[in-house]
Amino acid sequence: MKHIKILMVTCGLVASELAVRAQDTIITVTPKAPERQAVQVAFRKVDQKDLLGGVSVVDVPAQMKQNYMTYSLANMDAWANGFNGNSMWGMGSYLLVIDGVPRDAGNVLPTEIAQISFLKGVNAVALFGSRAGKGVVYITTKRGQEGAQRIDVRVNAGMHVPKVYPKYLGSAEYMTLYNEARRNDGLTDLYSDATIFNYASGKNPYRYPSVDYYSDQYLKKALGRYDVTAEISGGGDKARYYTNIGYQTAGSLLKFGEAIKNDRIDRLNLRGNVDITLSDYISCNVDATAIFYTGKGVNTNYWGSAATLRPHRFAPLIPIDMVEPDDEASQVFIKNSDHIIDGKYLLGGTQLDQTNPFAAIYAGGNNKYTSRQFQFNTGIQADLRNLLKGLTFRGTFAVDYNASYNLAFNNTYAVYAPVWNNYAGKDLISSLTRYGQDATPGVQNVSNSWYSQTISATTQFNYVNSIRDKHHLSAVLLMNGWQQKESAVYHATSNANLGLQLGYNFKHTYYADFSGALVHSAKLPEGNRQAFSPTVSLGWRLSNEAFLRGNAVVDDLRLTASAGILHTDLDITNYYLYQGVYTVLGSWYGWKDGSGIQATESRRGDNPAMKFPKREEISVGLEGSFFKGLVKVDGNFFVNKITGNIIQAAALFPSYFTTGFPVSSFIPFVNYNDDKRIGFDFNVGLHKKLGEVDWTLGVVGTYYRTTASKRAEVYEDKYQYRQGKSIDGIWGLQSLGFFKDASDITNSPSQTFGQVKPGDIKYKDQNGDGVINTRDEVFLGKGGWFGAPFTLGVNLSAQWKNFSFFALGTGRFGAYGMKNSSYFWIDGEDKYSIVVRDRWTPETQATAKYPRLTTFNSDNNFRSSDFWLYKANRFDLAKVQVSYDMTGLLGAKKLVKELGVYVSGFNLLTLSAERELMEMNIGSEPQTRFYNLGVKALF
């Protein structure tokens, strides 16, 4: 921490001094003409017109003018083709870097971002090494520019409004249906008609509670969110600076007890990026970021309890005025209680609910999660043109520290269970039973202490030169490495590689690029820890050819093709998998005399030949502009295979590689499984001015199909083989409706998932063996592990005078989901949701949509099957914003140079056959719509 403080102070002093000097000389600086947009790719920037395929780029500052965002990657799948929010081209987890250093997307806010590059193709990511095998999201933060100092201020105030809450039955309906469930099981009713009537009447909610955890008695209609950001930038030819200071805060939906003041989040971020020109040959940068995050909360999981606690269990509060005055013991409890709520209630509970979410929020104390992040980048660049024209050197070093911990005041409390009576028609509490003790120790407890450290360094030589403005050459030779250490994790996550890039283009017409990396991984055995990943890209600008030059339709048209092999250890789940494992901590071998010794057991075999899995890929891209900029198109078609994925599979080895008792296995981890993906992405933009309105329409999409092209498996039935099916497929039974009666059960195949009765789900016997078991499971459809196979984004903007309108929608199509949460799979003592209203009964068997109710385990009904399958197709209206530029209303002599206001709405509408399910969270905070009012100003 000492070194961090010194570095922060130093960075601050340097930034301040340079800012003052730059400001003193600013009137002599002539701003440069805007340069052609350069796109950040792997360890270099490339002119956008020379960018080869497999890369998408988003200009975030341009977006923020009409599309205020709260998260760095918000709705980026509607802007970047090939990115679906979870993965690139459906490959899974990607590498995210901020200014070249592996970090989290939440470490940077949209106001700090200059550009986001989405590197998808093998040629685009090769220089990043092994850990980038599934793509890279490269976030570049803003930097200061020569010119007068500018101060941009943005203030937002908004509110989150819950979309939908889960719907559960009230006490009376629950009791009625629970009695039905018991009768279905051959048991007697548990609740009498009189009891159900009392709970239904609502005449005394303290004696006959029907607790709705989602009512406005406990929850607000909305929670507020506020943020303010100030950006200060400027500088001269010697130094440029960019500073971002931001603060945001958000409250809670809970509106009682400790949650009123101790359930909110606060985030303060400070960023300073300084660029210094030391001489004509040497320049450097010094960047520092600090993020202070605090989340205050209550000592309970309210939302988890809301999904599990049945409504009749207890009344959260017990009214003191209903306790009989003559009950001396109860009056003593009242007098000595530390928690009299609102001066008139005791905390309610039962022997089984001595701790409950209401009592915990009122009296259980509070906690505070604290996170502190410090990030430092520094780099130096030397122009070596005296050695070779176009040659430069750049070295970077970065170190990040992240620490978090939880502080909590853990109080204990007493809850009270009342014994009720009724005198002359009036309900009174004749006695109270106390469970627990009130205690407020005042001791702050520290828990969940965690830290991480990232160190990153790069050394590289870059060469960029043009010969007679025809032959354009580029080259990069680099050494890159980074390491992330985390508390309680023995092995750090590391990446180390050498990289080489060689590029050539002739008159911006014919392109060739080679990018390769020598990678290293400690997850592999010695001798196999290094591998070389070669890739190549070719490009041809057809619009420069004589047959298209001057064409009235085609402004620009280019084809690209890429191919390569990347060696990656991303899917190697742990270290030392190549080593055999023996243990003496397992079974005991007994002798006849009653004594015994511990057995030495083999748990897996050696594999000294284990090697890197490989991503092998071919892609073809097209980009073009047509009709004088009216239409712009960018797209890629790709085929890739990830081969040699590491598995431990008994199917590959003889049966004697595993033994009975003592249990031993000699089966090693081997390179075997292969996955294949084939698909395309596209980005089509239209820009046209119609009358006084300037219109822009963009349509972005990605489609891919995954195949498990090679698997180690042995099944008795061909239809169960995973090979040839979708990688993230859903497997389960095919349902045939419900059993109608006992005769139907008798005449059906034998059931192995527990005893069945009329109203239980009936399954298809796929192999005709007369038995329903796991051998009858079949492929049901594609799941959503890597996202829906078809992702669609639509963005529309219109500019009229000082008004602008923006709308954005996103779609997900082609995947399936399973209704397998506690909201749908209900048996035993579970809480009943409204789905049970459609249950099977002898009277409703023709229309029933839900199995019969039971108080036993329902293993037969609640298992993966197409009965619970649903299509997860959806289209979301993700954003609408209306903005107004008020600059023209300002006077001639004005402190404020620009002024604008905007109103926006987020996550406004979902169109789907399963809309309510899509918008509903079970056991966690609800999804929300967000309405925002913002003001931005330039000083």
Side-chain angles (χ1 to χ4, degrees), residues 130-131 483 491-496 519-526 528-530 569 572 574-579 610 612:
S130 172
R131 305 297 297 179
Q483 186 177 81
H491 265 288
T493 300
S494 302
N495 185 87
V519 300
H520 173 88
S521 175
K523 291 183 175 180
L524 295 166
E526 292 186 17
N528 288 348
R529 290 182 174 175
Q530 285 81 35
D569 66 354
I572 303 178
N574 214 330
Y575 291 85
Y576 308 117
L577 294 183
Y578 54 87
Q579 290 185 347
M610 183 184 291
F612 282 96

Short mmCIF file of all heavy atoms in Angstrom, two decimals, residues 130-131 483 491-496 519-526 528-530 569 572 574-579 610 612:
data_model
loop_
_atom_site.label_atom_id
_atom_site.label_comp_id
_atom_site.label_asym_id
_atom_site.label_seq_id
_atom_site.Cartn_x
_atom_site.Cartn_y
_atom_site.Cartn_z
N SER A 130 -2.22 -17.76 -25.76
CA SER A 130 -3.09 -18.88 -25.45
C SER A 130 -4.42 -18.45 -24.84
O SER A 130 -5.47 -19.00 -25.16
CB SER A 130 -2.37 -19.83 -24.48
OG SER A 130 -3.23 -20.82 -24.00
N ARG A 131 -4.41 -17.48 -23.94
CA ARG A 131 -5.62 -17.12 -23.20
C ARG A 131 -6.63 -16.36 -24.05
O ARG A 131 -7.73 -16.08 -23.60
CB ARG A 131 -5.27 -16.28 -21.97
CG ARG A 131 -4.26 -16.91 -21.03
CD ARG A 131 -4.75 -18.19 -20.41
NE ARG A 131 -5.92 -17.98 -19.56
CZ ARG A 131 -6.55 -18.95 -18.92
NH1 ARG A 131 -6.15 -20.19 -19.04
NH2 ARG A 131 -7.59 -18.68 -18.16
N GLN A 483 0.07 -12.04 -15.47
CA GLN A 483 -0.22 -13.02 -14.44
C GLN A 483 -1.21 -12.43 -13.45
O GLN A 483 -1.07 -11.28 -13.01
CB GLN A 483 1.06 -13.44 -13.71
CG GLN A 483 0.87 -14.57 -12.72
CD GLN A 483 2.17 -14.99 -12.09
OE1 GLN A 483 2.64 -14.36 -11.15
NE2 GLN A 483 2.78 -16.07 -12.60
N HIS A 491 -2.45 -21.64 -7.76
CA HIS A 491 -1.80 -21.31 -9.02
C HIS A 491 -2.33 -20.01 -9.58
O HIS A 491 -3.54 -19.81 -9.65
CB HIS A 491 -2.01 -22.42 -10.05
CG HIS A 491 -0.88 -23.41 -10.09
ND1 HIS A 491 0.36 -23.11 -10.60
CD2 HIS A 491 -0.81 -24.68 -9.67
CE1 HIS A 491 1.14 -24.17 -10.51
NE2 HIS A 491 0.46 -25.14 -9.93
N ALA A 492 -1.44 -19.15 -9.99
CA ALA A 492 -1.85 -17.92 -10.67
C ALA A 492 -2.26 -18.25 -12.10
O ALA A 492 -1.80 -19.22 -12.70
CB ALA A 492 -0.69 -16.92 -10.68
N THR A 493 -3.14 -17.43 -12.65
CA THR A 493 -3.49 -17.53 -14.06
C THR A 493 -2.47 -16.73 -14.86
O THR A 493 -2.26 -15.54 -14.60
CB THR A 493 -4.90 -16.96 -14.31
OG1 THR A 493 -5.85 -17.71 -13.54
CG2 THR A 493 -5.27 -17.06 -15.77
N SER A 494 -1.83 -17.40 -15.81
CA SER A 494 -0.71 -16.76 -16.50
C SER A 494 -0.87 -16.87 -18.01
O SER A 494 -1.53 -17.78 -18.52
CB SER A 494 0.62 -17.39 -16.08
OG SER A 494 0.81 -17.31 -14.69
N ASN A 495 -0.24 -15.95 -18.69
CA ASN A 495 -0.13 -15.99 -20.15
C ASN A 495 1.23 -15.43 -20.52
O ASN A 495 1.63 -14.37 -20.05
CB ASN A 495 -1.23 -15.14 -20.79
CG ASN A 495 -1.22 -15.25 -22.31
OD1 ASN A 495 -1.84 -16.14 -22.88
ND2 ASN A 495 -0.53 -14.34 -22.98
N ALA A 496 1.95 -16.16 -21.36
CA ALA A 496 3.26 -15.71 -21.82
C ALA A 496 3.43 -16.13 -23.26
O ALA A 496 3.15 -17.29 -23.61
CB ALA A 496 4.38 -16.30 -20.96
N VAL A 519 3.48 -19.80 -27.82
CA VAL A 519 2.78 -19.72 -26.54
C VAL A 519 3.37 -20.72 -25.56
O VAL A 519 4.03 -21.70 -25.94
CB VAL A 519 1.26 -19.98 -26.72
CG1 VAL A 519 0.66 -18.95 -27.66
CG2 VAL A 519 1.00 -21.39 -27.23
N HIS A 520 3.09 -20.46 -24.28
CA HIS A 520 3.59 -21.31 -23.20
C HIS A 520 2.47 -21.53 -22.20
O HIS A 520 1.69 -20.63 -21.91
CB HIS A 520 4.78 -20.63 -22.50
CG HIS A 520 5.25 -21.34 -21.28
ND1 HIS A 520 6.20 -22.34 -21.31
CD2 HIS A 520 4.88 -21.23 -19.96
CE1 HIS A 520 6.40 -22.79 -20.09
NE2 HIS A 520 5.62 -22.14 -19.25
N SER A 521 2.41 -22.77 -21.64
CA SER A 521 1.43 -23.05 -20.60
C SER A 521 2.01 -24.05 -19.61
O SER A 521 2.50 -25.12 -20.00
CB SER A 521 0.14 -23.63 -21.20
OG SER A 521 -0.75 -24.02 -20.17
N ALA A 522 1.93 -23.70 -18.33
CA ALA A 522 2.38 -24.59 -17.27
C ALA A 522 1.37 -25.68 -16.96
O ALA A 522 1.63 -26.55 -16.13
CB ALA A 522 2.66 -23.77 -16.01
N LYS A 523 0.22 -25.68 -17.62
CA LYS A 523 -0.77 -26.72 -17.40
C LYS A 523 -0.42 -28.02 -18.12
O LYS A 523 -1.07 -29.04 -17.90
CB LYS A 523 -2.15 -26.24 -17.87
CG LYS A 523 -2.75 -25.13 -17.02
CD LYS A 523 -4.15 -24.78 -17.50
CE LYS A 523 -4.81 -23.76 -16.59
NZ LYS A 523 -6.18 -23.42 -17.05
N LEU A 524 0.58 -27.97 -18.97
CA LEU A 524 0.95 -29.13 -19.77
C LEU A 524 2.27 -29.72 -19.28
O LEU A 524 3.06 -29.04 -18.62
CB LEU A 524 1.05 -28.74 -21.24
CG LEU A 524 -0.28 -28.30 -21.87
CD1 LEU A 524 -0.06 -27.62 -23.18
CD2 LEU A 524 -1.19 -29.51 -22.04
N PRO A 525 2.54 -30.97 -19.62
CA PRO A 525 3.79 -31.59 -19.16
C PRO A 525 5.01 -30.98 -19.83
O PRO A 525 4.92 -30.41 -20.93
CB PRO A 525 3.61 -33.06 -19.55
CG PRO A 525 2.62 -33.05 -20.66
CD PRO A 525 1.69 -31.91 -20.36
N GLU A 526 6.14 -31.06 -19.17
CA GLU A 526 7.38 -30.55 -19.74
C GLU A 526 7.62 -31.24 -21.08
O GLU A 526 7.43 -32.43 -21.24
CB GLU A 526 8.54 -30.81 -18.79
CG GLU A 526 8.46 -29.98 -17.52
CD GLU A 526 9.69 -30.14 -16.65
OE1 GLU A 526 10.72 -30.62 -17.18
OE2 GLU A 526 9.62 -29.80 -15.47
N ASN A 528 5.92 -30.34 -23.72
CA ASN A 528 4.74 -29.95 -24.51
C ASN A 528 4.20 -28.60 -24.09
O ASN A 528 3.05 -28.28 -24.41
CB ASN A 528 3.64 -31.01 -24.37
CG ASN A 528 3.96 -32.28 -25.12
OD1 ASN A 528 4.89 -32.32 -25.91
ND2 ASN A 528 3.20 -33.33 -24.86
N ARG A 529 4.98 -27.83 -23.39
CA ARG A 529 4.47 -26.56 -22.84
C ARG A 529 4.57 -25.40 -23.82
O ARG A 529 4.07 -24.32 -23.54
CB ARG A 529 5.22 -26.22 -21.55
CG ARG A 529 4.86 -27.16 -20.41
CD ARG A 529 5.55 -26.83 -19.12
NE ARG A 529 5.06 -27.69 -18.03
CZ ARG A 529 5.54 -27.70 -16.81
NH1 ARG A 529 6.56 -26.89 -16.48
NH2 ARG A 529 5.04 -28.51 -15.89
N GLN A 530 5.25 -25.59 -24.93
CA GLN A 530 5.33 -24.54 -25.94
C GLN A 530 4.70 -25.02 -27.24
O GLN A 530 4.74 -26.22 -27.56
CB GLN A 530 6.79 -24.14 -26.23
CG GLN A 530 7.42 -23.29 -25.14
CD GLN A 530 7.91 -24.10 -23.97
OE1 GLN A 530 8.38 -25.22 -24.14
NE2 GLN A 530 7.80 -23.55 -22.77
N ASP A 569 -4.89 -23.08 -23.86
CA ASP A 569 -5.11 -23.88 -22.65
C ASP A 569 -6.37 -23.45 -21.90
O ASP A 569 -6.58 -23.81 -20.75
CB ASP A 569 -3.90 -23.83 -21.73
CG ASP A 569 -3.65 -22.44 -21.16
OD1 ASP A 569 -4.36 -21.48 -21.56
OD2 ASP A 569 -2.74 -22.29 -20.32
N ILE A 572 -8.39 -26.29 -20.43
CA ILE A 572 -7.73 -27.21 -19.50
C ILE A 572 -8.10 -26.74 -18.11
O ILE A 572 -7.69 -25.67 -17.66
CB ILE A 572 -6.20 -27.22 -19.71
CG1 ILE A 572 -5.87 -27.58 -21.16
CG2 ILE A 572 -5.56 -28.22 -18.76
CD1 ILE A 572 -4.39 -27.58 -21.46
N ASN A 574 -7.50 -27.55 -15.01
CA ASN A 574 -6.66 -27.47 -13.82
C ASN A 574 -5.22 -27.79 -14.18
O ASN A 574 -4.91 -28.21 -15.30
CB ASN A 574 -7.15 -28.45 -12.75
CG ASN A 574 -6.96 -27.91 -11.35
OD1 ASN A 574 -6.04 -27.13 -11.09
ND2 ASN A 574 -7.83 -28.33 -10.44
N TYR A 575 -4.35 -27.58 -13.21
CA TYR A 575 -2.94 -27.90 -13.39
C TYR A 575 -2.71 -29.38 -13.04
O TYR A 575 -3.50 -30.00 -12.32
CB TYR A 575 -2.08 -27.02 -12.48
CG TYR A 575 -2.06 -25.58 -12.92
CD1 TYR A 575 -3.06 -24.70 -12.52
CD2 TYR A 575 -1.05 -25.08 -13.74
CE1 TYR A 575 -3.06 -23.38 -12.92
CE2 TYR A 575 -1.04 -23.75 -14.15
CZ TYR A 575 -2.05 -22.90 -13.74
OH TYR A 575 -2.04 -21.59 -14.14
N TYR A 576 -1.64 -29.92 -13.57
CA TYR A 576 -1.17 -31.27 -13.25
C TYR A 576 -2.12 -32.38 -13.69
O TYR A 576 -2.03 -33.50 -13.20
CB TYR A 576 -0.89 -31.43 -11.74
CG TYR A 576 -0.01 -30.36 -11.18
CD1 TYR A 576 -0.47 -29.49 -10.20
CD2 TYR A 576 1.31 -30.21 -11.63
CE1 TYR A 576 0.34 -28.50 -9.68
CE2 TYR A 576 2.13 -29.21 -11.11
CZ TYR A 576 1.64 -28.36 -10.14
OH TYR A 576 2.44 -27.38 -9.63
N LEU A 577 -3.01 -32.09 -14.62
CA LEU A 577 -3.89 -33.15 -15.09
C LEU A 577 -3.12 -34.24 -15.82
O LEU A 577 -3.63 -35.35 -15.99
CB LEU A 577 -4.97 -32.57 -16.02
CG LEU A 577 -5.99 -31.62 -15.38
CD1 LEU A 577 -7.04 -31.21 -16.40
CD2 LEU A 577 -6.66 -32.26 -14.17
N TYR A 578 -1.91 -33.92 -16.26
CA TYR A 578 -1.10 -34.92 -16.97
C TYR A 578 -0.44 -35.90 -16.01
O TYR A 578 0.12 -36.90 -16.44
CB TYR A 578 -0.03 -34.21 -17.79
CG TYR A 578 0.84 -33.25 -16.99
CD1 TYR A 578 1.97 -33.69 -16.32
CD2 TYR A 578 0.50 -31.90 -16.90
CE1 TYR A 578 2.74 -32.82 -15.58
CE2 TYR A 578 1.28 -31.03 -16.16
CZ TYR A 578 2.40 -31.49 -15.51
OH TYR A 578 3.17 -30.62 -14.76
N GLN A 579 -0.50 -35.62 -14.71
CA GLN A 579 0.15 -36.50 -13.73
C GLN A 579 -0.83 -37.52 -13.16
O GLN A 579 -2.00 -37.22 -12.93
CB GLN A 579 0.73 -35.67 -12.58
CG GLN A 579 1.93 -34.83 -12.95
CD GLN A 579 2.52 -34.13 -11.74
OE1 GLN A 579 1.92 -34.09 -10.68
NE2 GLN A 579 3.71 -33.56 -11.91
N MET A 610 0.20 -35.29 -23.12
CA MET A 610 -0.86 -34.29 -23.19
C MET A 610 -0.36 -33.03 -23.88
O MET A 610 0.75 -32.58 -23.64
CB MET A 610 -1.39 -33.95 -21.79
CG MET A 610 -2.56 -32.98 -21.78
SD MET A 610 -3.06 -32.53 -20.10
CE MET A 610 -3.75 -34.09 -19.54
N PHE A 612 -1.63 -29.11 -26.18
CA PHE A 612 -2.61 -28.03 -26.28
C PHE A 612 -3.83 -28.47 -27.11
O PHE A 612 -3.66 -29.05 -28.20
CB PHE A 612 -2.01 -26.83 -27.00
CG PHE A 612 -1.11 -25.97 -26.18
CD1 PHE A 612 0.26 -26.15 -26.22
CD2 PHE A 612 -1.62 -24.95 -25.39
CE1 PHE A 612 1.11 -25.34 -25.49
CE2 PHE A 612 -0.79 -24.14 -24.65
CZ PHE A 612 0.58 -24.33 -24.70
#
